[in-house]
Structure formats: C-alpha cells, structure tokens
C-alpha cells in the first residue's frame, strides 16, 4: 500500500504544478458547445492565462485541481483492490490478454472515480464571465447542481460508455505500439502512451463534451423528433474542427510529468517526511 500512497502524493504534486495546462485543455475541448461569445473563447494558452487571471485571479488557473486530487483517492484505492485480481485472471504475455487486463482495470477504476471526474470537468470548463453567477463553485454545490439538472446517474456518469470505448482502444493501442517499438528506442513506453492517446483524443473530446453539455444544448436536442434529426443535430455540433483542441497542451503536460517524476526522487522525499513526522509524534 505504501507505494500507492507514494504514487498518489507524487502525482498529486506534479498534477497541481501543471494544473493550468489541464484546465486549458478541457476548455479547448468543450468551449464550442458552451454559451460563450467569440471574445470569451480562447485559441491559445496565452489568452487563457491572461483572461483567467484578469477575471478570476491566479487561483483561477488551478480551478478544479482540488477535485482532481479527490478523484485520485478512489482511483488509487480501486487499483490497489482490483488490479492484482484482474491481472491474475486475465494477464498473459500476448497482446489480447495484456490489453484486456488494462481495459478491465481502467473501467473498474472509472466506476468509482467517474462522478468526481464529471464534477472536475464542470468546474474547470465554467469560465467566469463578469456579471454572471457561477453554478459550479464548491464540490458539494457542483454535485448538487449536476444531480438537479440531469439526475445522479445521467448527470454524473454522462459519457461513461464513451469512456469505456476510449479505455478499450487506448489500452490495446498502448500495448500494441509498445511491442511494435520495443528494441527500436529506450522510450518505447512513453512513445506508445503518446501515440495511443493521439489516436483516441477525438473520442476523449466527445466524452468531455458529453460531461459538460449545457442545458440549452440538451433542450435543443430533445426537440428533435426522430433519431435521424438527432443525429444531424449532433453532427452539426460535433464537427471535427474541435477534435484535437488542447492536444498540444495535453502532450506538453504529459511530457513534463514524465520528466519531473523521473528527475525528482519523490520516494526519498516521502520517506524523509514520514521519518520527520514520526520523530515529531514521539514527543
């Protein structure tokens, strides 16, 4: 369990440092279906930083990061509880079983953490507009408003099915690319991760948009009389121009996380802090 706590602490620290990139990515993925004017929309990271600090202060750059840390608690716990059992039941050295193991582990973990992810995304993508009141301020208020708007499962688990498909494709993509690149480069695991995520990024954008669908969007969609009309409406809203919005920011954040986690000995820092705490508790 100690290694999971170390992983949780170290990842939380790095995610906090890089939180502005994550919020910018989520905004870029979803801003086309939010009720924003052309002046309020953001096309680059500089605009995001400038507008956010102007309207929300520096703390606005880190909005939703606390919920992201909360989300890691059930993720780490679920991985600790289920991973070994799933691995024993499915894991082998062939691609099919490795991908199945990763898929089942990812989906099982998401069952427990997905509502927190939806809350995080709602908080991150709600841009402060002068003169308008926010709906998603605190954790409990955000959860209550989502439940009030859409119901518990329909609201907090919106896009979960798409997320399962994304997990499946990502797992097999990363396993396949990792084996393909093995022996060609010492960074085959990192490149496999980046390459696989590049392939499924538009699916991730669809999932994010499902998580933050505005009330106006839902009302307009509900007016469509048949499946074909609903399909045309969704295709009109979900054009491919937004599919890779925020993709560069995501990759910069991912590469930065890898570098920081490799360069900083968080395990040593964790043990030092633990020893200092034990010394204090003795007195």
């Amino acid at each position: 369990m100690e290694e999971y706590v170390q992983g949780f602490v170290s990842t939380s620290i790095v995610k906090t440092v890089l939180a502005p990139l994550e919020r910018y990515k989520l905004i870029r993925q979803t801003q086309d279906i939010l009720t924003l004017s052309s002046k309020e929309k953001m096309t680059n990271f500089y605009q995001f930083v400038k507008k956010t600090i102007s309207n929300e202060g520096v703390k606005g750059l880190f909005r939703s990061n606390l919920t992201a840390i909360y989300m890691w608690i059930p993720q780490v716990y679920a991985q600790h509880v289920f991973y070994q059992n799933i691995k024993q039941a499915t894991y082998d050295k062939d691609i099919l079983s490795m991908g199945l193991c990763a898929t089942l582990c990812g989906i099982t973990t998401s069952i427990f953490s997905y509502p927190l992810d939806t809350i995080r995304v709602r908080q991150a993508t709600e841009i402060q507009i002068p003169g308008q009141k926010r709906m998603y301020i605190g954790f409990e208020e955000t959860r209550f408003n989502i439940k009030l708007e859409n119901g518990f499962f329909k609201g907090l688990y919106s896009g979960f099915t798409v997320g399962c498909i994304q997990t499946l494709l990502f797992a097999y993509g990363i396993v396949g690319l990792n084996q393909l690149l093995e022996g060609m480069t010492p960074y085959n695991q990192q490149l496999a991760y980046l390459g696989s995520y590049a392939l499924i990024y538009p699916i991730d954008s669809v999932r994010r948009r499902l998580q933050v669908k505005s009330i106006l969007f839902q009302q307009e969609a509900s007016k469509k009389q048949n499946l074909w009309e609903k399909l045309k409406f969704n295709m009109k809203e979900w054009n491919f121009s937004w599919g890779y919005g925020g993709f560069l920011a995501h990759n910069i954040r991912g590469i930065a996380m890898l570098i920081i986690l490799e360069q900083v000995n968080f395990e040593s820092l964790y043990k030092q802090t633990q020893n200092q705490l034990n010394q204090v508790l003795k007195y």
Side-chain angles (χ1 to χ4, degrees):
M1 187 63 183
E2 185 175 335
E3 64 268 22
Y4 285 96
V5 176
Q6 291 172 5
F8 169 77
V9 172
S10 59
T11 305
S12 296
I13 293 171
V14 178
K15 279 180 173 287
T16 299
V17 173
L18 302 172
L21 285 167
E22 176 66 8
R23 189 184 178 197
Y24 169 69
K25 182 200 80 167
L26 292 172
I27 289 173
R28 285 295 309 278
Q29 285 181 303
T30 59
Q31 65 179 355
D32 287 347
I33 64 168
L34 300 175
T35 52
L36 301 174
S37 67
S38 57
K39 290 183 179 180
E40 292 161 350
K41 290 184 178 180
M42 305 170 191
T43 57
N44 58 64
F45 187 68
Y46 172 74
Q47 282 184 346
F48 162 73
V49 172
K50 184 178 179 181
K51 290 180 180 180
T52 301
I53 293 177
S54 176
N55 295 330
E56 306 175 33
V58 175
K59 66 179 182 180
L61 298 173
F62 300 88
R63 179 171 166 78
S64 81
N65 183 64
L66 186 58
T67 305
I69 293 174
Y70 289 156
M71 185 179 72
W72 267 88
I73 297 173
Q75 280 186 335
V76 170
Y77 183 75
Q79 286 176 357
H80 176 69
V81 172
F82 294 108
Y83 175 69
Q84 290 300 330
N85 291 329
I86 292 173
K87 185 175 180 180
Q88 287 177 5
T90 63
Y91 188 81
D92 204 345
K93 294 183 179 180
D94 61 282
I95 293 178
L96 288 176
S97 63
M98 290 168 68
L100 179 62
C101 176
T103 301
L104 291 176
C105 187
I107 292 174
T108 305
T109 302
S110 293
I111 291 172
F112 297 94
S113 62
Y114 200 87
L116 292 168
D117 186 43
T118 300
I119 292 170
R120 173 184 76 97
V121 173
R122 290 282 184 110
Q123 290 175 336
T125 55
E126 187 180 35
I127 299 170
Q128 179 64 64
I129 300 172
Q132 290 190 14
K133 185 181 177 181
R134 272 181 162 158
M135 292 183 63
Y136 310 121
I137 301 174
F139 177 82
E140 279 300 319
E141 185 174 350
T142 303
R143 183 188 63 82
F144 176 79
N145 283 328
I146 294 174
K147 184 179 177 182
L148 191 66
E149 290 172 16
N150 312 109
F152 179 80
F153 286 103
K154 191 176 179 180
L156 292 173
Y157 281 91
S158 180
F160 181 76
T161 303
V162 176
C164 292
I165 297 170
Q166 175 186 336
T167 301
L168 173 69
L169 296 176
F170 178 68
Y172 277 101
I174 198 169
V175 169
L177 287 173
N178 186 37
Q179 290 205 351
L180 182 66
L181 296 171
E182 191 173 4
M184 298 173 62
T185 170
Y187 302 103
N188 57 300
Q189 293 183 351
Q190 292 88 339
L191 290 174
Y193 173 87
L194 295 174
S196 183
Y197 204 83
L199 294 175
I200 58 91
Y201 192 84
I203 301 175
D204 185 60
S205 294
V206 170
R207 181 169 68 93
R208 298 305 184 191
R209 290 162 78 89
L210 286 169
Q211 286 179 304
V212 303
K213 280 194 304 186
S214 64
I215 296 174
L216 179 63
F217 180 90
Q218 295 177 44
Q219 289 174 343
E220 288 297 319
S222 66
K223 293 177 183 177
K224 306 306 175 183
Q225 299 300 316
N226 54 60
L227 181 62
W228 174 243
E229 290 297 322
K230 290 181 179 181
L231 179 62
K232 287 196 296 183
F233 176 78
N234 283 298
M235 289 300 292
K236 181 181 177 182
E237 293 294 325
W238 294 351
N239 59 72
F240 285 98
S241 63
W242 53 261
Y244 282 91
F247 181 66
L248 180 60
H250 172 81
N251 283 332
I252 292 173
R253 174 177 170 273
I255 293 169
M257 280 189 66
L258 289 172
I259 293 172
I260 294 171
L261 288 170
E262 286 183 359
Q263 295 299 318
V264 179
N265 190 348
F266 283 103
E267 182 177 356
S268 175
L269 290 175
Y270 173 80
K271 287 182 178 179
Q272 288 176 17
T273 304
Q274 193 176 46
N275 291 335
Q276 290 172 1
L277 181 61
N278 290 335
Q279 289 296 324
V280 170
L281 292 175
K282 287 181 180 179
Y283 297 98

